[in-house]
Amino acid sequence: MALFSNAVQLVTPVFFAAEGGEFHPPSISEFFPEIVLFEGTPFAMNRIMIIRVVMALLVLLLFWLGTRKLRVIPTRGQSLTEMAADFVRVNIAEDLLGKVDGKRFLPILSAMFFMILAFNITGIVPGINIAGTAVIGTPLVLAVVSYVTFIYAGIKKSPKNFFKNSLFPAGVPKPIYLIVTPIEFISTFIIRPVTLTLRLLMNLMVGHMLLVLFFSATNFFILYAGGFFPVLGVFTFAFGFAFTLFELLVAVLQAYVFTLLTAVYIQLALAEEH
């Protein structure tokens, strides 16, 4: 207890000094920045909205540059574009939906994957430092798109039986439907969009807050704390750098998982029993 008390007395002044303005811990207010463009109009935009617009235009520009002059012997840019497009087409759309249905839903799956990836990557770009998917608006809209898409696919495939087979699985004794049907309704039509939204949102939000914590602590320890604290700054910088690389993996993985789950839900909606 004496050691613990001494440790508290040693560390406490650091964080009290931090509150003086040098140390900036992560805050939920970072996800609601001030309006910087078109304030007072329906088109008002804060920093996160600008990031989303810029990244969406950048993705369109890259694909336009990569496909504007298609050749039998592809250029380097065309090859990279084709590799990126084939990743979604082969590894997600065709693997899960087959060639026919995969081709039908490829545009929406491709748009979803590259949009999420572009928005996620901004979380580790110096000068931007926050993902466009770290605020609930984009994850929620994408989850709604996924939700509408798989319901549309099911109704299109079997207008009369989609909801029936979704809520009343074949082979279940009739009395058990009193238990099974509410569970199926909640899991299929409520939990799916909720989990899609929260999985993407929370991964990017928490990642941003951890990076802010590591690098703000590094800045404070090295420049302001004095004593032996610059040594701690070396460790917080190392952790921040390592976590930046991890966030790059998370950015790609979350785009893949979101798109993959959308394809899985479409596949389930297109299943023969529907």
PDB file of all heavy atoms in Angstrom, residues 146-159:
ATOM      1  N   SER A 146     -27.155  -2.305 -46.713  1.00  0.00           N
ATOM      2  CA  SER A 146     -27.007  -3.762 -46.634  1.00  0.00           C
ATOM      3  C   SER A 146     -28.346  -4.425 -46.310  1.00  0.00           C
ATOM      4  O   SER A 146     -28.724  -5.437 -46.915  1.00  0.00           O
ATOM      5  CB  SER A 146     -25.970  -4.115 -45.570  1.00  0.00           C
ATOM      6  OG  SER A 146     -25.890  -5.508 -45.370  1.00  0.00           O
ATOM      7  N   TYR A 147     -29.070  -3.862 -45.367  1.00  0.00           N
ATOM      8  CA  TYR A 147     -30.364  -4.381 -44.917  1.00  0.00           C
ATOM      9  C   TYR A 147     -31.374  -4.393 -46.066  1.00  0.00           C
ATOM     10  O   TYR A 147     -32.020  -5.414 -46.345  1.00  0.00           O
ATOM     11  CB  TYR A 147     -30.850  -3.490 -43.775  1.00  0.00           C
ATOM     12  CG  TYR A 147     -32.141  -3.888 -43.115  1.00  0.00           C
ATOM     13  CD1 TYR A 147     -32.182  -4.930 -42.202  1.00  0.00           C
ATOM     14  CD2 TYR A 147     -33.315  -3.175 -43.364  1.00  0.00           C
ATOM     15  CE1 TYR A 147     -33.370  -5.265 -41.568  1.00  0.00           C
ATOM     16  CE2 TYR A 147     -34.493  -3.503 -42.736  1.00  0.00           C
ATOM     17  CZ  TYR A 147     -34.522  -4.552 -41.838  1.00  0.00           C
ATOM     18  OH  TYR A 147     -35.689  -4.893 -41.223  1.00  0.00           O
ATOM     19  N   VAL A 148     -31.480  -3.260 -46.758  1.00  0.00           N
ATOM     20  CA  VAL A 148     -32.424  -3.157 -47.879  1.00  0.00           C
ATOM     21  C   VAL A 148     -32.031  -4.108 -49.006  1.00  0.00           C
ATOM     22  O   VAL A 148     -32.891  -4.734 -49.641  1.00  0.00           O
ATOM     23  CB  VAL A 148     -32.497  -1.703 -48.386  1.00  0.00           C
ATOM     24  CG1 VAL A 148     -33.292  -1.616 -49.681  1.00  0.00           C
ATOM     25  CG2 VAL A 148     -33.106  -0.794 -47.328  1.00  0.00           C
ATOM     26  N   THR A 149     -30.728  -4.259 -49.228  1.00  0.00           N
ATOM     27  CA  THR A 149     -30.253  -5.097 -50.327  1.00  0.00           C
ATOM     28  C   THR A 149     -30.607  -6.563 -50.109  1.00  0.00           C
ATOM     29  O   THR A 149     -31.106  -7.227 -51.025  1.00  0.00           O
ATOM     30  CB  THR A 149     -28.732  -4.951 -50.499  1.00  0.00           C
ATOM     31  OG1 THR A 149     -28.412  -3.582 -50.758  1.00  0.00           O
ATOM     32  CG2 THR A 149     -28.225  -5.808 -51.651  1.00  0.00           C
ATOM     33  N   PHE A 150     -30.348  -7.087 -48.902  1.00  0.00           N
ATOM     34  CA  PHE A 150     -30.632  -8.507 -48.721  1.00  0.00           C
ATOM     35  C   PHE A 150     -32.141  -8.787 -48.657  1.00  0.00           C
ATOM     36  O   PHE A 150     -32.605  -9.842 -49.092  1.00  0.00           O
ATOM     37  CB  PHE A 150     -29.867  -9.096 -47.517  1.00  0.00           C
ATOM     38  CG  PHE A 150     -30.493  -8.925 -46.176  1.00  0.00           C
ATOM     39  CD1 PHE A 150     -31.562  -9.719 -45.768  1.00  0.00           C
ATOM     40  CD2 PHE A 150     -29.975  -8.018 -45.271  1.00  0.00           C
ATOM     41  CE1 PHE A 150     -32.116  -9.597 -44.507  1.00  0.00           C
ATOM     42  CE2 PHE A 150     -30.519  -7.893 -43.999  1.00  0.00           C
ATOM     43  CZ  PHE A 150     -31.599  -8.669 -43.614  1.00  0.00           C
ATOM     44  N   ILE A 151     -32.924  -7.836 -48.155  1.00  0.00           N
ATOM     45  CA  ILE A 151     -34.380  -8.021 -48.166  1.00  0.00           C
ATOM     46  C   ILE A 151     -34.891  -7.957 -49.609  1.00  0.00           C
ATOM     47  O   ILE A 151     -35.734  -8.780 -50.019  1.00  0.00           O
ATOM     48  CB  ILE A 151     -35.072  -6.960 -47.293  1.00  0.00           C
ATOM     49  CG1 ILE A 151     -34.759  -7.228 -45.816  1.00  0.00           C
ATOM     50  CG2 ILE A 151     -36.582  -6.979 -47.519  1.00  0.00           C
ATOM     51  CD1 ILE A 151     -35.367  -6.226 -44.874  1.00  0.00           C
ATOM     52  N   TYR A 152     -34.373  -7.020 -50.387  1.00  0.00           N
ATOM     53  CA  TYR A 152     -34.742  -6.938 -51.801  1.00  0.00           C
ATOM     54  C   TYR A 152     -34.388  -8.232 -52.522  1.00  0.00           C
ATOM     55  O   TYR A 152     -35.188  -8.752 -53.318  1.00  0.00           O
ATOM     56  CB  TYR A 152     -34.026  -5.765 -52.459  1.00  0.00           C
ATOM     57  CG  TYR A 152     -34.007  -5.845 -53.974  1.00  0.00           C
ATOM     58  CD1 TYR A 152     -35.114  -5.459 -54.728  1.00  0.00           C
ATOM     59  CD2 TYR A 152     -32.877  -6.324 -54.643  1.00  0.00           C
ATOM     60  CE1 TYR A 152     -35.098  -5.543 -56.112  1.00  0.00           C
ATOM     61  CE2 TYR A 152     -32.860  -6.414 -56.034  1.00  0.00           C
ATOM     62  CZ  TYR A 152     -33.966  -6.032 -56.757  1.00  0.00           C
ATOM     63  OH  TYR A 152     -33.954  -6.129 -58.121  1.00  0.00           O
ATOM     64  N   ALA A 153     -33.201  -8.768 -52.261  1.00  0.00           N
ATOM     65  CA  ALA A 153     -32.771 -10.004 -52.917  1.00  0.00           C
ATOM     66  C   ALA A 153     -33.709 -11.153 -52.587  1.00  0.00           C
ATOM     67  O   ALA A 153     -34.084 -11.946 -53.464  1.00  0.00           O
ATOM     68  CB  ALA A 153     -31.339 -10.351 -52.500  1.00  0.00           C
ATOM     69  N   GLY A 154     -34.112 -11.243 -51.317  1.00  0.00           N
ATOM     70  CA  GLY A 154     -35.006 -12.327 -50.905  1.00  0.00           C
ATOM     71  C   GLY A 154     -36.380 -12.208 -51.507  1.00  0.00           C
ATOM     72  O   GLY A 154     -36.959 -13.196 -51.977  1.00  0.00           O
ATOM     73  N   ILE A 155     -36.923 -10.985 -51.504  1.00  0.00           N
ATOM     74  CA  ILE A 155     -38.264 -10.778 -52.067  1.00  0.00           C
ATOM     75  C   ILE A 155     -38.250 -10.993 -53.578  1.00  0.00           C
ATOM     76  O   ILE A 155     -39.181 -11.576 -54.145  1.00  0.00           O
ATOM     77  CB  ILE A 155     -38.779  -9.371 -51.715  1.00  0.00           C
ATOM     78  CG1 ILE A 155     -38.984  -9.250 -50.205  1.00  0.00           C
ATOM     79  CG2 ILE A 155     -40.066  -9.058 -52.452  1.00  0.00           C
ATOM     80  CD1 ILE A 155     -39.378  -7.864 -49.740  1.00  0.00           C
ATOM     81  N   LYS A 156     -37.192 -10.535 -54.228  1.00  0.00           N
ATOM     82  CA  LYS A 156     -37.071 -10.720 -55.677  1.00  0.00           C
ATOM     83  C   LYS A 156     -37.011 -12.204 -56.031  1.00  0.00           C
ATOM     84  O   LYS A 156     -37.620 -12.646 -57.021  1.00  0.00           O
ATOM     85  CB  LYS A 156     -35.815 -10.011 -56.173  1.00  0.00           C
ATOM     86  CG  LYS A 156     -35.612 -10.032 -57.683  1.00  0.00           C
ATOM     87  CD  LYS A 156     -36.509  -9.043 -58.385  1.00  0.00           C
ATOM     88  CE  LYS A 156     -36.176  -8.964 -59.865  1.00  0.00           C
ATOM     89  NZ  LYS A 156     -37.083  -8.037 -60.584  1.00  0.00           N
ATOM     90  N   LYS A 157     -36.297 -12.981 -55.221  1.00  0.00           N
ATOM     91  CA  LYS A 157     -36.151 -14.401 -55.502  1.00  0.00           C
ATOM     92  C   LYS A 157     -37.448 -15.167 -55.211  1.00  0.00           C
ATOM     93  O   LYS A 157     -37.856 -16.044 -55.980  1.00  0.00           O
ATOM     94  CB  LYS A 157     -35.007 -14.981 -54.652  1.00  0.00           C
ATOM     95  CG  LYS A 157     -34.766 -16.470 -54.798  1.00  0.00           C
ATOM     96  CD  LYS A 157     -34.201 -16.813 -56.166  1.00  0.00           C
ATOM     97  CE  LYS A 157     -33.946 -18.313 -56.300  1.00  0.00           C
ATOM     98  NZ  LYS A 157     -32.825 -18.750 -55.448  1.00  0.00           N
ATOM     99  N   SER A 158     -38.084 -14.821 -54.097  1.00  0.00           N
ATOM    100  CA  SER A 158     -39.301 -15.548 -53.718  1.00  0.00           C
ATOM    101  C   SER A 158     -40.272 -14.600 -53.023  1.00  0.00           C
ATOM    102  O   SER A 158     -40.298 -14.518 -51.792  1.00  0.00           O
ATOM    103  CB  SER A 158     -38.942 -16.723 -52.797  1.00  0.00           C
ATOM    104  OG  SER A 158     -40.077 -17.478 -52.469  1.00  0.00           O
ATOM    105  N   PRO A 159     -41.074 -13.854 -53.784  1.00  0.00           N
ATOM    106  CA  PRO A 159     -41.948 -12.835 -53.197  1.00  0.00           C
ATOM    107  C   PRO A 159     -42.901 -13.369 -52.139  1.00  0.00           C
ATOM    108  O   PRO A 159     -43.172 -12.692 -51.146  1.00  0.00           O
ATOM    109  CB  PRO A 159     -42.715 -12.291 -54.407  1.00  0.00           C
ATOM    110  CG  PRO A 159     -41.884 -12.633 -55.586  1.00  0.00           C
ATOM    111  CD  PRO A 159     -41.195 -13.922 -55.250  1.00  0.00           C
TER     112      PRO A 159
END
